[in-house]
Amino acid sequence: MLNFTVGPVMSEDYVLSIGAEQVPYFRTPEFSAIMKENESLMKEFTGADADGRVVFITGSGTASMEAAVVNLFDEKDKLLVVNGGSFGARFVKLCEIHGINFDEIHLEYGKSLTREELWQYSGKGYTGFLVNIHETSTGVKYDTDMIGEFCDKEGIFLVVDAISSFLADPLDMQKQHIDVMITGSQKALACPPGVSVIVLSSAAVKRVYDHDPKCMYLDLQDALTNGERGQTPFTPAVGVLRQIHARLCSIKEAGGVETEINRISGLAKDFRERIKELPFEICSDSLSNAVTPIHPTTVSAYDIFTVLKDEYGIWICPNGGDLKDKIFRVGHIGALTTDDNKTLTDAFKKLQERKII
């Protein structure tokens, strides 16, 4: 199998080998040391401030999205939510479920947020801002610098879901005025699914302790307290956290986050160059390095996904709902190479010869 989806993605052999080992007991100094180093490296890679903290949640990215909403906001807040696809809609739903006041900036699929659109919301008393900085369902990446500038000027607490963007696109929490950053193990971290990560600024840590969340498993106060000793409140996905540790250390040894971003950026540019002559349209006005969203002009997008999966052993990322037949996505994160790009584009050309596209 050759996997070009946006998660779970291909893992390196050293990550896979850890997954084949027996899972060790975790209430030990050895596991605590791993978790402390995981926290240190995540802070370094995200540009968090010295007094910031990191929480590892055993759950998908949506678990950490919900944890951020219920631990940082309540009925006294007024949030601004960017909704440009299925993941922006998820933040909207979380606010509705937990009774938090919000307005949404509703964007057309494939369209980014402009400065003019954003500044219409200036001076309206918002206390929080929720954004999936890379709306993975459509492939659109929003301007993190612009949003951070807006939130800093307005004194708004900024929560950024960078689940598919972390390690693929530049991100610096302090420079971009980000209070909370969320990511997941199965994206550019290239580990199995099961763990999501919340990086909190020092201001966010204070905010957590100032709130009284109505939850137990997602209680960030409990998680932060346990994290001081390198532990989690409940049994975590021990094996995945060990794989994350190996992956973070490998990124550090290879030159750090900038080197990893450049690698993924190179793969994205290589792929986009290779498909120029194919009957495809790249359907986003602001691209992440993580994924290329493609509208095939001659056939159903889902049909291409199905043929590649069933006949070529290649997985691209389909869409659902209204986008099912319109857009498929090709990921550039995980253990991929330019040779893999060639394999995929050669398969596209064979489909063209067969008049499937």
Side-chain angles (χ1 to χ4, degrees):
M1 179 187 73
L2 185 55
N3 184 358
F4 286 91
T5 70
V6 290
V9 301
M10 307 267 281
S11 297
E12 297 284 359
D13 287 344
Y14 69 87
V15 173
L16 296 174
S17 66
I18 295 170
E21 296 174 3
Q22 293 287 352
V23 178
Y25 184 63
F26 65 100
R27 301 294 191 199
T28 62
E30 291 81 5
F31 186 72
S32 291
I34 285 173
M35 291 298 287
K36 294 295 258 183
E37 189 166 19
N38 281 350
E39 179 171 28
S40 176
L41 289 169
M42 283 299 303
K43 286 175 62 176
E44 177 183 341
F45 290 175
T46 57
D49 63 274
D51 294 323
R53 294 289 306 280
V54 181
V55 171
F56 296 87
I57 299 287
T58 295
S60 70
T62 303
S64 283
M65 290 169 66
E66 184 158 23
V69 170
V70 300
N71 283 271
L72 297 163
F73 305 107
D74 56 35
E75 65 279 357
K76 297 186 292 293
D77 285 291
K78 181 182 178 183
L79 307 188
L80 189 57
V81 185
V82 178
N83 180 3
S86 59
F87 294 99
R90 198 164 295 181
F91 263 141
V92 168
K93 188 173 182 179
L94 286 168
C95 290
E96 291 172 342
I97 289 170
H98 294 288
I100 298 170
N101 296 319
F102 72 96
D103 291 324
E104 62 179 299
I105 304 174
H106 202 282
L107 302 171
E108 290 182 39
Y109 279 10
K111 298 299 181 183
S112 189
L113 175 65
T114 67
R115 190 177 188 88
E116 292 71 26
E117 288 171 317
L118 179 58
W119 253 258
Q120 292 176 22
Y121 296 89
S122 177
K124 296 189 176 180
Y126 294 105
T127 59
F129 193 109
L130 306 180
V131 61
N132 315 83
I133 206 66
H134 175 219
E135 176 52 69
T136 322
S137 66
T138 63
V140 174
K141 184 185 181 300
Y142 305 125
D143 186 336
T144 318
D145 292 328
M146 178 187 73
I147 292 171
E149 177 192 348
F150 174 81
C151 289
D152 183 51
K153 173 182 174 291
E154 298 287 317
I156 298 174
F157 189 88
L158 176 56
V159 176
V160 169
D161 159 12
I163 290 172
S164 60
S165 181
F166 172 62
L167 294 177
D169 303 302
L171 180 143
D172 188 302
M173 291 181 67
Q174 292 183 77
K175 290 180 181 178
Q176 296 170 324
H177 310 288
I178 298 169
D179 293 292
V180 176
M181 192 285 302
I182 301 167
T183 192
S185 58
Q186 79 279 19
K187 301 292 186 177
L189 274 171
C191 293
V195 170
S196 51
V197 187
I198 306 174
V199 184
L200 303 152
S201 69
S202 53
V205 172
K206 182 179 185 302
R207 194 179 181 99
V208 165
Y209 282 111
D210 286 343
H211 277 70
D212 181 23
K214 305 302 181 189
C215 59
M216 182 176 73
Y217 189 76
L218 298 178
D219 185 341
L220 294 187
Q221 290 185 25
D222 197 8
L224 288 170
T225 300
N226 278 272
E228 290 173 3
R229 61 191 180 96
Q231 289 290 330
T232 57
F234 311 105
T235 303
V238 176
V240 179
L241 288 164
R242 293 177 67 233
Q243 289 170 305
I244 288 172
H245 179 251
R247 177 81 171 114
L248 291 172
C249 290
S250 176
I251 291 169
K252 174 77 171 177
E253 291 167 5
V257 65
E258 185 176 352
T259 299
E260 183 67 7
I261 290 171
N262 289 339
R263 185 188 72 82
I264 293 172
S265 173
L267 286 171
K269 290 174 183 175
D270 175 78
F271 173 77
R272 292 165 189 167
E273 185 66 29
R274 289 176 186 271
I275 63 169
K276 281 186 174 180
E277 304 304 319
L278 291 168
F280 294 155
E281 294 176 355
I282 295 177
C283 46
S284 167
D285 61 6
S286 179
L287 289 167
S288 164
N289 293 320
V291 64
T292 302
I294 294 172
H295 168 57
T297 57
T298 59
V299 71
S300 160
Y302 198 83
D303 288 348
I304 295 175
F305 159 73
T306 301
V307 172
L308 286 175
K309 172 177 67 73
D310 293 345
E311 299 183 27
Y312 292 85
I314 299 173
W315 290 72
I316 56 175
C317 204
N319 256 309
D322 294 339
L323 297 180
K324 178 179 178 181
D325 293 314
K326 297 177 182 177
I327 298 174
F328 65 81
R329 294 158 293 158
V330 174
H332 311 299
I333 52 181
L336 292 168
T337 67
T338 54
D339 285 343
D340 295 327
N341 283 348
K342 182 178 185 304
T343 298
L344 175 57
T345 51
D346 285 348
F348 283 142
K349 290 172 184 176
K350 288 176 183 175
L351 297 187
Q352 193 175 28
E353 290 169 5
R354 296 169 57 189
K355 302 191 184 306
I356 293 176
I357 62 174

